Amino acid sequence: MVRHKIAAQAEALDRIGQPSERLRRLLTAVRSGDPDNREAQAAQAYWPLLMGRDFRRDRGADGVNAMLNYGYAVLRAATARAIVSAGLHPSLSVHHRSGGDALALADDLMEPFRPTVDLIVHRLVAEGLTCVENAREDLVSCLSADFPTRNGATPLSQVLVRLAQSLARSFLDRKLKLDFPSRPLPDEMGEPEHA
């Protein structure tokens, strides 16, 4: 999942005309369980390139951070629904430590799709929007973003269902085979052209 998230972050940077080489190098260095914390290293490189050098990810901040939080909450809720529909319990995680978190598995499975929300927020900021109230419709639209899959264009909400179902099958078969989209980001989502 870490590899898929970093691949999506690298593609997001490509889409906005920022260099993605460092993330692609980190992607190839990810080992099982991410013991070298390549995910955090990728985030340190990713955020300044995506949102500007002065941007700091702060879950308690307003503006861009609040829009990211709202988009992630939408994504998390859809992921939790997909997990329950696949017959899994959303509090039993693969990677995130539960610590009483009722949606730890949702936190795991949504990770590769966060860059979809990030790109929407990037576009909104480029359009001059910086508050959640004016961005809700766009942020919720992440669930209808079409990903290329072996079955054709598939909205993110259905991609999440297939991923959760493939995880359930993996537990039954005792062989990990997760159903990810063909590409880490949806087809073009109206991002602003880069210079």
Side-chain angles (χ1 to χ4, degrees), residues 22-187:
R22 181 166 179 218
L23 270 72
R24 295 195 186 282
R25 282 192 307 273
L26 289 167
L27 171 63
T28 62
V30 173
R31 296 184 295 146
S32 180
D34 194 21
D36 305 310
N37 209 4
R38 302 293 186 202
E39 183 178 14
Q41 294 172 40
Q44 287 177 341
Y46 173 71
W47 286 114
L49 291 169
L50 184 74
M51 296 295 183
R53 195 178 333 162
D54 296 330
F55 177 79
R56 296 290 174 267
R57 182 70 181 108
D58 179 350
R59 291 183 184 147
D62 292 332
V64 173
N65 279 291
M67 289 194 305
L68 289 167
N69 294 343
Y70 188 88
Y72 296 157
V74 168
L75 179 58
R76 188 178 195 228
T79 306
R81 281 190 302 274
I83 289 165
V84 171
S85 75
L88 298 172
H89 198 289
S91 69
L92 303 175
S93 75
V94 173
H95 179 67
H96 282 91
R97 288 180 177 72
S98 175
D101 181 1
L103 299 177
L105 184 56
D107 293 337
D108 288 334
L109 294 187
M110 71 181 265
E111 285 297 323
F113 304 102
R114 283 178 180 259
T116 300
V117 172
D118 301 344
L119 271 180
I120 292 170
V121 171
H122 180 271
R123 177 181 52 82
L124 292 171
V125 169
E127 294 171 359
L129 292 173
T130 57
C131 71
V132 172
E133 291 74 23
N134 299 327
R136 285 189 178 122
E137 186 177 333
D138 288 289
L139 294 167
V140 171
S141 76
C142 73
L143 298 178
S144 59
D146 283 330
F147 279 77
T149 70
R150 68 179 186 282
N151 299 323
T154 305
L156 177 55
S157 58
Q158 187 60 37
V159 166
L160 294 168
V161 169
R162 289 182 187 160
L163 178 59
Q165 290 171 341
S166 69
L167 180 60
R169 275 192 310 276
S170 293
F171 287 132
L172 291 173
D173 297 343
R174 297 187 184 275
K175 183 176 180 185
L176 184 63
K177 186 173 184 205
L178 299 179
D179 187 358
F180 281 104
S182 307
R183 281 201 349 255
L185 284 177
D187 295 326

